[in-house]
Amino acid sequence: MAMATSRNGAVRGSMRPISGANSSNLRSSSFKSRIPSSAPAPRRNSSASLGGASAGDNGVPGRVRVAVRLRPRNADESVADADFADCVELQPELKRLKLRKNNWDTETYEFDEVLTEAASQKRVYQVVAKPVVESVLEGYNGTVMAYGQTGTGKTFTLGRLGDEDTAARGIMVRSMEDIIGGTSLETDSVSVSYLQLYMETIQDLLDPTNDNIAIVEDPKTGDVSLPGATHVEIRNQQNFLELLQLGETHRVAANTKLNTESSRSHAILMVHVKRSVVENEDLVSNETESSSHFVRPSKPLVRRSKLVLVDLAGSERVHKSGSEGHMLEEAKSINLSLSALGKCINAIAENSPHVPLRDSKLTRLLRDSFGGTARTSLIVTIGPSPRHRGETTSTILFGQRAMKVENMLKIKEEFDYKSLSKKLEVQLDKVIAENERQLKAFDDDVERINLQAQNRISEVEKNFAEALEKEKLKCQMEYMESVKKLEEKLISNQRNYENGKRNGEVNGVVTASELAKLKESLENEIKLRKAAEEEVNKLKSQSSLKTRSGEGEDAGISRLQKLLEDEALQKKKLEEEVTILRSQLVQLTFEADQMRRCLDRGAPGNSYSATDSLPSRHSQARESANGQKAPFATLCEQVGLQKILQLLESDDANIRIHAVKVVANLAAEEANQEKIVEAGGLTSLLMLLRSYEDETVRRVAAGAIANLAMNEVSQQLIVDQGGISLLSLTAADAEDPQTLRMVAGAIANLCGNDKLQARLWSDGGIKALLGMVRCGHPDVLAQVARGIANFAKCESRATTQGVKNGRSLLIEDGALPWIVQHANDEAAPIRRHIELALCHLAQHEVNAKEMISGGALWELVRISKECSREDIRSLAHRTLSSSPVFRSEIRRLGIHF
């Protein structure tokens, strides 16, 4: 007997997956079965059913779902049956299968799903196993089983690992992916057992030494368990794949005439899922105290479910398979177990009072799958060869009988007392500890407050006693001082009285002489004052005479000054009018020259006024007719740049508008840009943009700034003087498309400077650029796209040089959806700039995941194939090829580029 070392390396029975089929829901009806398509299948009420479900149990009815899958012809059949048609004809849209008995007689059968040889592995999983896996995650038991003749693709459908091609993964691998994705590593657990039933002996594929596992049945519930089997907890998908590979190396297989790797045993994968479920918390009022509330503890529940995946060994006829010796014994054992399974299904389908469960260990293991509490899906595999019509017929009839079996689905839910008890103990410990901490803190606070109060009282009593003593001493000292002063005053008065009586006459004579002297001094002072007043009056009269003589001269001087001021004002107005007329004349001359050159070329004339001045007009402004200087350069020499800039501050709106237009046209010429900046023209333009609300002034000023932004020195000055913020405010307020085009052009020019990237982003330049797309005008969108392309190019260059890390600032400001939306815009300028921006963004690996989730990968693939420019097409292809993230996603999606 030839044993296979690995059973997933080759396609059994030449079954190959073909992608592109759409999934559909299963449908229950059958022509050949005795169950009408309009009524559900009868449910067994007897306890002797394969699953032991009783009529009194609460459950959800669930009929066994059956799908049929046709294997394509293999190489041998293509040669041997070249002159014969397939024995079956599939009608997948009607869920029907026609079996040809001969050239003129056919039988029609109907299944829940009919899968052609072109059906992909993914579609097979979605229509056969995915509903069962979802039920297992909800708490129900589930079974997925493959039945059919040897070599028809059962192992390919169920157990293919898909090492080389992920699209070829079988039901086992895909089921575990969904189970791992639907559970939590913290609260749930998933474990597997992998067994084989070989020669009526249950063997552990994960532990070959464990080769005789006993079946244990619960006498109360009838549940079947295998306590001796190895249970391995699964933490990730890679761990599960390694276990599957280990089990496949131990499974028995042999080479027969019908199949080079024929399974000689039934493979059974059991997945045990334990999930924790918590009921909603209820707020309950306390009966004794209506104002207080408490929360009833939530009920932790545990749901235990089991998914059984059965890859049955293929039924075979000895004279066709050529089995002999030990392989013949294996074939007998396989056919006996499959026959026992068929008898049990027949008994359940016919409501027989006796179901022969104990005829085989296979039927004992599957007692919950047919007539029990599990949701069951069966896929029967057939071949197209007319030489095996008998085996194909037997397989189809097996599936038809299985469709008559109905299970009662139940959730196995347990109350998790241990978890609740542990949770309550933890909460109680926390409450006790918190209560002790609060009580200790309260006692400490009371003791501290008492101590502070005692200290305060003692301090107050001491201070009061000291103050009282001081006040007492102070009052005594004041009383003694007052008495002493009164005594001294009394003695002094007595002495003065006695002295006065003796010296009264002498004092009277002295006092009279002193009064006479004072009167004489007062009269002298009065005379001197009168003389001073007379002198002052004389001086005042002389001053008034001189003032009257000078008033005539001042009036003449004032008239002359007024005439001079009027002359200066008139001269200034005339100079402004002359300057305006010259600027208008030069502008008309420039437009006439443009029109004449367009007519000479045979094209319609396009008039570019000052309001159209953008960097795209830069080359036109440098042209001169017949080798002469440009008209605006001539105007600058005749009038003077400083005078033109002074007119920007004129009070007359028309003069100001014409001056802005002249400056804008001068700024379009590279030779004038530095002169304008040095003369303060940039500052004046920014002031106009900040202070004036006139739409024409703002539009032309923005155009002039856009022209000046072509120069790197001017770019830095614009940023330093707050130009980005001013342009952003103008973009937010303006509604005129031409104004928005000028502002977008200015910001787009600034986006091309590597040194200004961070400042542009922080001052809101990128958000302002994206905000202008609301206009929808093609010219505005073209300037926005150009700015995004310039910014992305500078970012890519900074990342390559190691100056910048992290994802793109464009993605930070939400530009990616708009970029993807306009990547295939009808307007060529917009499309070309957006394609360049996408290529530059994709060059930085940190942007790859967000670009994939945002749909940019598909646009990059399209650009690499369909872009009209060879350089952009090559850049997109090179970017996709060099990025590991993009290459992995392209392989996963199966994209060819």
Side-chain angles (χ1 to χ4, degrees), residues 417-600:
Y417 290 98
K418 292 183 179 179
S419 176
L420 178 59
S421 176
K422 186 176 180 180
K423 181 178 179 180
L424 291 176
E425 286 179 358
V426 172
Q427 291 180 354
L428 181 60
D429 291 340
K430 289 182 178 179
V431 171
I432 292 174
E434 182 63 26
N435 187 31
E436 290 179 350
R437 284 194 296 269
Q438 292 180 358
L439 186 60
K440 180 68 166 57
F442 177 76
D443 292 340
D444 292 342
D445 289 342
V446 170
E447 185 176 357
R448 179 177 52 81
I449 292 172
N450 288 334
L451 182 61
Q452 289 178 354
Q454 292 176 0
N455 294 334
R456 184 64 178 167
I457 291 171
S458 301
E459 184 179 356
V460 170
E461 290 177 350
K462 182 179 179 181
N463 293 337
F464 179 75
E466 291 178 354
L468 185 62
E469 187 67 24
K470 289 180 180 180
E471 190 67 23
K472 183 179 178 180
L473 292 175
K474 181 179 179 182
C475 290
Q476 291 178 353
M477 294 297 294
E478 289 178 354
Y479 174 74
M480 295 298 293
E481 289 291 332
S482 298
V483 171
K484 185 177 181 181
K485 288 180 180 179
L486 288 174
E487 290 178 351
E488 292 177 354
K489 190 173 182 181
L490 177 61
I491 295 171
S492 176
N493 289 336
Q494 290 177 355
R495 290 176 180 174
N496 291 334
Y497 176 75
E498 293 176 355
N499 294 329
K501 288 178 69 178
R502 289 193 300 268
N503 300 323
E505 297 177 357
V506 178
N507 291 337
V509 176
V510 173
T511 302
S513 61
E514 290 178 353
L515 288 174
K517 290 180 181 179
L518 289 174
K519 287 180 181 180
E520 186 179 355
S521 298
L522 182 60
E523 289 175 356
N524 293 332
E525 289 291 333
I526 291 172
K527 291 179 181 179
L528 292 174
R529 182 177 179 182
K530 288 182 179 180
E533 287 178 357
E534 290 176 358
E535 186 68 23
V536 169
N537 290 332
K538 189 183 294 184
L539 292 173
K540 283 182 179 181
S541 61
Q542 294 177 358
S543 176
S544 61
L545 292 174
K546 292 182 179 180
T547 301
R548 283 194 296 271
S549 63
E551 285 179 357
E553 298 176 357
D554 291 341
I557 294 173
S558 299
R559 285 195 297 273
L560 290 176
Q561 287 179 347
K562 186 175 181 180
L563 289 175
L564 290 174
E565 288 176 357
D566 292 341
E567 289 291 334
L569 182 61
Q570 187 69 21
K571 181 180 179 181
K572 184 178 180 182
K573 288 184 178 180
L574 291 175
E575 288 179 350
E576 289 179 354
E577 291 177 0
V578 169
T579 303
I580 292 170
L581 291 175
R582 286 181 178 177
S583 65
Q584 291 176 350
L585 177 62
V586 171
Q587 187 168 346
L588 292 174
T589 304
F590 177 72
E591 294 175 358
D593 292 340
Q594 294 290 331
M595 180 67 73
R596 184 174 62 255
R597 286 196 293 273
C598 291
L599 293 175
D600 292 339

Side-chain angles (χ1 to χ4, degrees), residues 62-227:
R63 181 177 58 78
V64 175
R65 315 290 289 179
V66 182
V68 59
R69 187 181 193 186
L70 176 63
R71 170 182 60 76
R73 287 190 176 192
N74 54 32
D76 294 338
E77 291 171 348
S78 298
V79 175
D81 302 332
D83 298 331
F84 301 95
D86 292 346
C87 65
V88 293
E89 178 186 347
L90 303 184
Q91 295 177 330
E93 66 280 358
L94 300 176
K95 315 296 184 185
R96 292 177 183 173
L97 177 148
K98 289 185 178 181
L99 178 63
R100 294 190 179 93
K101 290 185 175 181
N102 46 48
N103 292 334
W104 57 87
D105 189 13
T106 61
E107 289 184 351
T108 303
Y109 299 89
E110 193 166 301
F111 290 90
D112 293 307
E113 190 67 36
V114 176
L115 302 167
T116 66
E117 62 272 19
S120 65
Q121 291 282 76
K122 181 178 180 180
R123 181 167 181 255
V124 172
Y125 170 72
Q126 289 178 340
V127 300
V128 175
K130 191 176 179 82
V132 178
V133 174
E134 292 174 349
S135 296
V136 170
L137 291 174
E138 293 173 0
Y140 298 96
N141 289 341
T143 302
V144 179
M145 187 170 66
Y147 177 91
Q149 181 191 4
T150 182
T152 54
K154 297 184 297 302
T155 301
F156 177 84
T157 300
L158 211 64
R160 184 62 182 258
L161 297 181
D163 294 332
E164 299 178 356
D165 184 6
T166 56
R169 292 170 296 162
I171 290 176
M172 289 183 179
V173 179
R174 294 178 186 269
S175 298
M176 184 54 67
E177 286 179 353
D178 284 352
I179 289 175
I180 292 175
T183 56
S184 172
L185 293 176
E186 289 78 11
T187 59
D188 306 333
S189 66
V190 180
S191 61
V192 299
S193 298
Y194 200 12
L195 313 168
Q196 70 173 355
L197 180 60
Y198 177 66
M199 300 288 286
E200 284 301 305
T201 302
I202 300 176
Q203 300 176 355
D204 197 333
L205 291 176
L206 302 180
D207 183 10
T209 60
N210 191 7
D211 57 358
N212 191 7
I213 301 174
I215 299 176
V216 179
E217 297 182 11
D218 191 330
K220 294 182 180 180
T221 63
D223 292 341
V224 176
S225 61
L226 300 171

Side-chain angles (χ1 to χ4, degrees), residues 295-464:
V295 178
R296 179 183 297 170
S298 58
K299 294 181 179 179
L301 302 177
V302 175
R303 289 181 179 174
R304 302 179 188 272
S305 56
K306 178 175 64 176
L307 173 64
V308 181
L309 302 170
V310 185
D311 179 13
L312 295 174
S315 60
E316 61 182 60
R317 295 186 180 182
V318 177
H319 70 278
K320 290 186 178 182
S321 64
S323 301
E324 58 184 12
H326 186 71
M327 291 176 57
L328 179 60
E329 296 300 323
E330 292 175 343
K332 290 180 181 180
S333 176
I334 292 171
N335 290 336
L336 284 174
S337 60
L338 293 177
S339 176
L341 179 61
K343 290 178 182 179
C344 290
I345 291 177
N346 287 340
I348 298 171
E350 296 172 0
N351 286 330
S352 174
H354 173 68
V355 179
L357 294 175
R358 297 190 175 275
D359 288 357
S360 171
K361 289 186 177 180
L362 178 63
T363 56
R364 294 177 66 189
L365 289 172
L366 297 179
R367 66 177 299 170
D368 193 42
S369 302
F370 293 93
T373 61
R375 183 184 294 277
T376 302
S377 286
L378 172 66
I379 180 168
V380 294
T381 57
I382 59 176
S385 175
R387 291 180 296 162
H388 306 302
R389 183 180 287 108
E391 290 83 349
T392 301
T393 303
S394 175
T395 301
I396 292 173
L397 293 177
F398 180 88
Q400 290 288 298
R401 289 192 295 271
M403 290 177 66
K404 300 178 183 180
V405 178
E406 184 173 359
N407 298 343
M408 291 298 294
L409 311 183
K410 294 182 181 179
I411 294 178
K412 188 175 181 181
E413 198 172 66
E414 301 175 357
F415 188 82
D416 195 354
Y417 290 98
K418 292 183 179 179
S419 176
L420 178 59
S421 176
K422 186 176 180 180
K423 181 178 179 180
L424 291 176
E425 286 179 358
V426 172
Q427 291 180 354
L428 181 60
D429 291 340
K430 289 182 178 179
V431 171
I432 292 174
E434 182 63 26
N435 187 31
E436 290 179 350
R437 284 194 296 269
Q438 292 180 358
L439 186 60
K440 180 68 166 57
F442 177 76
D443 292 340
D444 292 342
D445 289 342
V446 170
E447 185 176 357
R448 179 177 52 81
I449 292 172
N450 288 334
L451 182 61
Q452 289 178 354
Q454 292 176 0
N455 294 334
R456 184 64 178 167
I457 291 171
S458 301
E459 184 179 356
V460 170
E461 290 177 350
K462 182 179 179 181
N463 293 337
F464 179 75

